[in-house]
Amino acid sequence: MQKPRDLDGNDTRVKSDETASTNLAEVGRHLLARAHQILAESDKRLRSSDTTGQGGPLRIGISSMLLNFLVDHPANALLDHASVTSDICSKIVKAFDDDDVDVAMVLDVKNHRSTLGDDLVAEFDIEFAWMKAEALALEPDEPIPLATWPPDQHIILNALSEEGRTYKVMFTGPDYASKFTAVRSGKCFAVVPRNAIISPFLEAEDELLPTIAPKKILLAVRGDPHSPQFKQVVSVLSSFHLAGIQHMQRQ
C-alpha cells in the first residue's frame, strides 16, 4: 500500500477524524458568530429607520379605544407604509419601551408618562361620554346596567363610586369593539370617547348618569425631531378632533 504523497512527491500525514472534526467545529463556531452579528446589525438598522428620516417603515402603537380616530382620519395616507399595533395602553407602552414600535399613543394612566420620558412630544385632553342604543331608558331606582372593557373600567367605576350610584355590569369583553356590540343590544350603557359616538348610537344625557372627567392622551415618537417624517407623524397624530391639545417641545 502506497503512502499518500503531496504534489512534490513528499510523504504526507493523514489527519485523524478527530482533528478534522475539531477544525470543522471551529469553522462552524466562527460562521455562527458572524451570522448572529449580521442579524443584530440588520435588526438595529430596521429599528432606527422609521422616524429618523431614513425613510423606513413606520411602526405605530395605539390604544384600542383610539384606533377608529386613526383609521378614519382624513390624513390616513400616513398608514400607507406603516404597520399599526392596537392593544391596551400598558402593552403599547411596553412595546415602545422595548423599541418594538416607533410611535405610542395611549391614555395617561399608571406610570406611562414617566416610561415614555423624553420621547413624549404632545398630549391631548380627551372627553368621555355615556353611550346607549336609542331604545334604552334609565330607571331611577335601578342599578345602571353597564358594558365595560377591563382596561377602562376604572374610568367608569370611579365616577359611579364618587356619585354613590349603584351599577350592574351586564357585559365585559376582551376587546374594545365588543363593548359597542353589547350596547347595540339595547340593554346597557357604556363610556367611550365622545367623538366615537356615531349612528346608530346616541349620547346618553340622563342626569342620573355621573359626568366623566376628561383624561389625557399621550403621544410619544422616537427619532430625529428635525426629520421631515418625524414632523409629519407628530402633525398628523396631533390633529385628531378631540377636546384639545398641548404640544411639547422636544429637548
mmCIF file with all atom_site columns, all heavy atoms in Angstrom, residues 87-95 106 109-110 112:
data_model
loop_
_atom_site.group_PDB
_atom_site.id
_atom_site.type_symbol
_atom_site.label_atom_id
_atom_site.label_alt_id
_atom_site.label_comp_id
_atom_site.label_asym_id
_atom_site.label_entity_id
_atom_site.label_seq_id
_atom_site.pdbx_PDB_ins_code
_atom_site.Cartn_x
_atom_site.Cartn_y
_atom_site.Cartn_z
_atom_site.occupancy
_atom_site.B_iso_or_equiv
_atom_site.pdbx_formal_charge
_atom_site.auth_seq_id
_atom_site.auth_comp_id
_atom_site.auth_asym_id
_atom_site.auth_atom_id
_atom_site.pdbx_PDB_model_num
ATOM 1  N N   . ASP A 1 87  ? -53.735 47.828 21.008 1.00 0.00 ? 87  ASP A N   1
ATOM 2  C CA  . ASP A 1 87  ? -53.784 46.980 22.200 1.00 0.00 ? 87  ASP A CA  1
ATOM 3  C C   . ASP A 1 87  ? -54.085 47.853 23.409 1.00 0.00 ? 87  ASP A C   1
ATOM 4  O O   . ASP A 1 87  ? -54.297 49.058 23.279 1.00 0.00 ? 87  ASP A O   1
ATOM 5  C CB  . ASP A 1 87  ? -52.442 46.248 22.379 1.00 0.00 ? 87  ASP A CB  1
ATOM 6  C CG  . ASP A 1 87  ? -52.599 44.881 23.031 1.00 0.00 ? 87  ASP A CG  1
ATOM 7  O OD1 . ASP A 1 87  ? -53.464 44.751 23.933 1.00 0.00 ? 87  ASP A OD1 1
ATOM 8  O OD2 . ASP A 1 87  ? -51.880 43.949 22.658 1.00 0.00 ? 87  ASP A OD2 1
ATOM 9  N N   . ILE A 1 88  ? -54.097 47.242 24.589 1.00 0.00 ? 88  ILE A N   1
ATOM 10 C CA  . ILE A 1 88  ? -54.281 48.018 25.809 1.00 0.00 ? 88  ILE A CA  1
ATOM 11 C C   . ILE A 1 88  ? -53.056 48.903 26.018 1.00 0.00 ? 88  ILE A C   1
ATOM 12 O O   . ILE A 1 88  ? -51.955 48.593 25.540 1.00 0.00 ? 88  ILE A O   1
ATOM 13 C CB  . ILE A 1 88  ? -54.526 47.106 27.026 1.00 0.00 ? 88  ILE A CB  1
ATOM 14 C CG1 . ILE A 1 88  ? -53.334 46.193 27.289 1.00 0.00 ? 88  ILE A CG1 1
ATOM 15 C CG2 . ILE A 1 88  ? -55.790 46.271 26.828 1.00 0.00 ? 88  ILE A CG2 1
ATOM 16 C CD1 . ILE A 1 88  ? -53.469 45.354 28.547 1.00 0.00 ? 88  ILE A CD1 1
ATOM 17 N N   . CYS A 1 89  ? -53.248 49.998 26.738 1.00 0.00 ? 89  CYS A N   1
ATOM 18 C CA  . CYS A 1 89  ? -52.205 51.016 26.841 1.00 0.00 ? 89  CYS A CA  1
ATOM 19 C C   . CYS A 1 89  ? -50.898 50.470 27.422 1.00 0.00 ? 89  CYS A C   1
ATOM 20 O O   . CYS A 1 89  ? -49.811 50.802 26.944 1.00 0.00 ? 89  CYS A O   1
ATOM 21 C CB  . CYS A 1 89  ? -52.709 52.182 27.685 1.00 0.00 ? 89  CYS A CB  1
ATOM 22 S SG  . CYS A 1 89  ? -54.060 53.105 26.921 1.00 0.00 ? 89  CYS A SG  1
ATOM 23 N N   . SER A 1 90  ? -50.988 49.640 28.457 1.00 0.00 ? 90  SER A N   1
ATOM 24 C CA  . SER A 1 90  ? -49.764 49.150 29.099 1.00 0.00 ? 90  SER A CA  1
ATOM 25 C C   . SER A 1 90  ? -48.919 48.329 28.135 1.00 0.00 ? 90  SER A C   1
ATOM 26 O O   . SER A 1 90  ? -47.681 48.391 28.166 1.00 0.00 ? 90  SER A O   1
ATOM 27 C CB  . SER A 1 90  ? -50.114 48.329 30.339 1.00 0.00 ? 90  SER A CB  1
ATOM 28 O OG  . SER A 1 90  ? -50.947 47.242 30.008 1.00 0.00 ? 90  SER A OG  1
ATOM 29 N N   . LYS A 1 91  ? -49.558 47.570 27.241 1.00 0.00 ? 91  LYS A N   1
ATOM 30 C CA  . LYS A 1 91  ? -48.798 46.771 26.269 1.00 0.00 ? 91  LYS A CA  1
ATOM 31 C C   . LYS A 1 91  ? -48.176 47.653 25.198 1.00 0.00 ? 91  LYS A C   1
ATOM 32 O O   . LYS A 1 91  ? -47.074 47.377 24.720 1.00 0.00 ? 91  LYS A O   1
ATOM 33 C CB  . LYS A 1 91  ? -49.699 45.711 25.651 1.00 0.00 ? 91  LYS A CB  1
ATOM 34 C CG  . LYS A 1 91  ? -50.062 44.587 26.615 1.00 0.00 ? 91  LYS A CG  1
ATOM 35 C CD  . LYS A 1 91  ? -50.799 43.460 25.916 1.00 0.00 ? 91  LYS A CD  1
ATOM 36 C CE  . LYS A 1 91  ? -51.095 42.319 26.886 1.00 0.00 ? 91  LYS A CE  1
ATOM 37 N NZ  . LYS A 1 91  ? -51.798 41.198 26.220 1.00 0.00 ? 91  LYS A NZ  1
ATOM 38 N N   . ILE A 1 92  ? -48.879 48.723 24.807 1.00 0.00 ? 92  ILE A N   1
ATOM 39 C CA  . ILE A 1 92  ? -48.309 49.638 23.826 1.00 0.00 ? 92  ILE A CA  1
ATOM 40 C C   . ILE A 1 92  ? -47.090 50.352 24.412 1.00 0.00 ? 92  ILE A C   1
ATOM 41 O O   . ILE A 1 92  ? -46.061 50.503 23.751 1.00 0.00 ? 92  ILE A O   1
ATOM 42 C CB  . ILE A 1 92  ? -49.361 50.667 23.366 1.00 0.00 ? 92  ILE A CB  1
ATOM 43 C CG1 . ILE A 1 92  ? -50.493 49.966 22.607 1.00 0.00 ? 92  ILE A CG1 1
ATOM 44 C CG2 . ILE A 1 92  ? -48.722 51.743 22.496 1.00 0.00 ? 92  ILE A CG2 1
ATOM 45 C CD1 . ILE A 1 92  ? -50.071 49.232 21.368 1.00 0.00 ? 92  ILE A CD1 1
ATOM 46 N N   . VAL A 1 93  ? -47.199 50.793 25.657 1.00 0.00 ? 93  VAL A N   1
ATOM 47 C CA  . VAL A 1 93  ? -46.071 51.472 26.308 1.00 0.00 ? 93  VAL A CA  1
ATOM 48 C C   . VAL A 1 93  ? -44.885 50.527 26.437 1.00 0.00 ? 93  VAL A C   1
ATOM 49 O O   . VAL A 1 93  ? -43.728 50.909 26.215 1.00 0.00 ? 93  VAL A O   1
ATOM 50 C CB  . VAL A 1 93  ? -46.493 52.016 27.687 1.00 0.00 ? 93  VAL A CB  1
ATOM 51 C CG1 . VAL A 1 93  ? -45.282 52.513 28.468 1.00 0.00 ? 93  VAL A CG1 1
ATOM 52 C CG2 . VAL A 1 93  ? -47.496 53.149 27.517 1.00 0.00 ? 93  VAL A CG2 1
ATOM 53 N N   . LYS A 1 94  ? -45.130 49.277 26.780 1.00 0.00 ? 94  LYS A N   1
ATOM 54 C CA  . LYS A 1 94  ? -44.041 48.292 26.877 1.00 0.00 ? 94  LYS A CA  1
ATOM 55 C C   . LYS A 1 94  ? -43.391 48.071 25.514 1.00 0.00 ? 94  LYS A C   1
ATOM 56 O O   . LYS A 1 94  ? -42.158 47.992 25.401 1.00 0.00 ? 94  LYS A O   1
ATOM 57 C CB  . LYS A 1 94  ? -44.548 46.967 27.428 1.00 0.00 ? 94  LYS A CB  1
ATOM 58 C CG  . LYS A 1 94  ? -43.436 45.938 27.651 1.00 0.00 ? 94  LYS A CG  1
ATOM 59 C CD  . LYS A 1 94  ? -43.957 44.645 28.213 1.00 0.00 ? 94  LYS A CD  1
ATOM 60 C CE  . LYS A 1 94  ? -42.809 43.704 28.593 1.00 0.00 ? 94  LYS A CE  1
ATOM 61 N NZ  . LYS A 1 94  ? -41.879 43.460 27.465 1.00 0.00 ? 94  LYS A NZ  1
ATOM 62 N N   . ALA A 1 95  ? -44.216 47.982 24.458 1.00 0.00 ? 95  ALA A N   1
ATOM 63 C CA  . ALA A 1 95  ? -43.667 47.802 23.112 1.00 0.00 ? 95  ALA A CA  1
ATOM 64 C C   . ALA A 1 95  ? -42.790 48.990 22.722 1.00 0.00 ? 95  ALA A C   1
ATOM 65 O O   . ALA A 1 95  ? -41.742 48.824 22.094 1.00 0.00 ? 95  ALA A O   1
ATOM 66 C CB  . ALA A 1 95  ? -44.801 47.618 22.109 1.00 0.00 ? 95  ALA A CB  1
ATOM 67 N N   . VAL A 1 106 ? -51.364 56.689 23.821 1.00 0.00 ? 106 VAL A N   1
ATOM 68 C CA  . VAL A 1 106 ? -52.004 55.938 24.903 1.00 0.00 ? 106 VAL A CA  1
ATOM 69 C C   . VAL A 1 106 ? -52.663 56.875 25.897 1.00 0.00 ? 106 VAL A C   1
ATOM 70 O O   . VAL A 1 106 ? -52.367 58.069 25.950 1.00 0.00 ? 106 VAL A O   1
ATOM 71 C CB  . VAL A 1 106 ? -50.968 55.061 25.657 1.00 0.00 ? 106 VAL A CB  1
ATOM 72 C CG1 . VAL A 1 106 ? -50.384 54.004 24.736 1.00 0.00 ? 106 VAL A CG1 1
ATOM 73 C CG2 . VAL A 1 106 ? -49.854 55.919 26.255 1.00 0.00 ? 106 VAL A CG2 1
ATOM 74 N N   . VAL A 1 109 ? -52.305 56.750 32.177 1.00 0.00 ? 109 VAL A N   1
ATOM 75 C CA  . VAL A 1 109 ? -52.628 56.049 33.412 1.00 0.00 ? 109 VAL A CA  1
ATOM 76 C C   . VAL A 1 109 ? -51.345 55.428 33.949 1.00 0.00 ? 109 VAL A C   1
ATOM 77 O O   . VAL A 1 109 ? -50.338 55.332 33.255 1.00 0.00 ? 109 VAL A O   1
ATOM 78 C CB  . VAL A 1 109 ? -53.700 54.955 33.195 1.00 0.00 ? 109 VAL A CB  1
ATOM 79 C CG1 . VAL A 1 109 ? -55.024 55.579 32.807 1.00 0.00 ? 109 VAL A CG1 1
ATOM 80 C CG2 . VAL A 1 109 ? -53.264 53.967 32.118 1.00 0.00 ? 109 VAL A CG2 1
ATOM 81 N N   . LYS A 1 110 ? -51.418 55.028 35.218 1.00 0.00 ? 110 LYS A N   1
ATOM 82 C CA  . LYS A 1 110 ? -50.276 54.381 35.874 1.00 0.00 ? 110 LYS A CA  1
ATOM 83 C C   . LYS A 1 110 ? -49.031 55.258 35.715 1.00 0.00 ? 110 LYS A C   1
ATOM 84 O O   . LYS A 1 110 ? -49.060 56.447 35.947 1.00 0.00 ? 110 LYS A O   1
ATOM 85 C CB  . LYS A 1 110 ? -50.080 52.969 35.322 1.00 0.00 ? 110 LYS A CB  1
ATOM 86 C CG  . LYS A 1 110 ? -51.295 52.066 35.556 1.00 0.00 ? 110 LYS A CG  1
ATOM 87 C CD  . LYS A 1 110 ? -51.053 50.678 35.050 1.00 0.00 ? 110 LYS A CD  1
ATOM 88 C CE  . LYS A 1 110 ? -52.262 49.782 35.310 1.00 0.00 ? 110 LYS A CE  1
ATOM 89 N NZ  . LYS A 1 110 ? -52.066 48.410 34.806 1.00 0.00 ? 110 LYS A NZ  1
ATOM 90 N N   . HIS A 1 112 ? -47.244 55.631 32.809 1.00 0.00 ? 112 HIS A N   1
ATOM 91 C CA  . HIS A 1 112 ? -46.932 55.689 31.382 1.00 0.00 ? 112 HIS A CA  1
ATOM 92 C C   . HIS A 1 112 ? -46.125 56.931 31.019 1.00 0.00 ? 112 HIS A C   1
ATOM 93 O O   . HIS A 1 112 ? -45.220 56.879 30.197 1.00 0.00 ? 112 HIS A O   1
ATOM 94 C CB  . HIS A 1 112 ? -48.213 55.637 30.558 1.00 0.00 ? 112 HIS A CB  1
ATOM 95 C CG  . HIS A 1 112 ? -48.946 54.334 30.666 1.00 0.00 ? 112 HIS A CG  1
ATOM 96 N ND1 . HIS A 1 112 ? -48.349 53.188 31.144 1.00 0.00 ? 112 HIS A ND1 1
ATOM 97 C CD2 . HIS A 1 112 ? -50.227 53.991 30.351 1.00 0.00 ? 112 HIS A CD2 1
ATOM 98 C CE1 . HIS A 1 112 ? -49.216 52.193 31.116 1.00 0.00 ? 112 HIS A CE1 1
ATOM 99 N NE2 . HIS A 1 112 ? -50.363 52.658 30.655 1.00 0.00 ? 112 HIS A NE2 1
#
